[in-house]
């Protein structure tokens, strides 16, 4: 069994645009979330799924894995579903 955690992230949130890169105690929020997901030893891999190059650059700068997805997704689950198409795993967890 191979379980992959997918963290769907985008900059254009309607309630708080730019939130994923907001700095909290020296790290952007997306990196805090990614690091917490890495603590779960059940996950074989943790991937950030985004349509934003800015987010991808930050995550990769911290050594994280990124899958670029379409900007047209109406919701986070659609982004996770697209990412799942590219992953070799038995299960996907939306984080």
């Amino acid at each position: 069994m191979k379980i992959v955690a997918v963290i769907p992230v985008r900059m254009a949130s309607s309630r708080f645009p730019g939130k994923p890169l907001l700095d909290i105690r020296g790290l952007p929020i997306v990196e805090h979330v990614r690091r917490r997901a890495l603590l779960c030893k059940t996950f074989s891999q943790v991937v950030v799924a985004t349509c934003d190059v800015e987010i991808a650059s930050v995550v990769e700068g911290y050594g994280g894995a990124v899958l670029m997805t379409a900007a047209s997704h109406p919701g986070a689950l659609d982004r996770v579903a697209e990412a799942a198409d590219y992953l070799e795993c038995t299960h996907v967890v939306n984080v």
Side-chain angles (χ1 to χ4, degrees):
M1 190 165 29
K2 184 175 179 186
I3 303 170
V4 176
V6 177
I7 305 167
V9 185
R10 66 186 181 111
M11 291 294 284
S13 168
S14 58
R15 292 176 287 176
F16 195 156
K19 180 173 113 178
L21 297 183
L22 180 71
D23 185 283
I24 295 180
R25 305 197 83 183
L27 290 174
I29 288 176
V30 66
E31 183 59 15
H32 279 285
V33 173
R34 190 183 75 80
R35 288 182 183 195
R36 294 317 173 274
L38 287 168
L39 294 174
C40 179
K41 300 305 176 195
T42 303
F43 298 144
S44 302
Q45 184 179 10
V46 175
V47 177
V48 172
T50 187
C51 59
D52 295 295
V53 174
E54 187 177 7
I55 291 172
S57 295
V58 168
V59 171
E60 290 172 340
Y62 285 104
V66 176
L67 276 172
M68 294 303 292
T69 56
S72 59
H73 293 302
L77 191 54
D78 302 292
R79 190 169 312 286
V80 172
E82 180 186 348
D85 287 341
Y86 300 105
L87 298 169
E88 291 185 30
C89 59
T90 57
H91 298 78
V92 173
V93 175
N94 178 4
V95 176

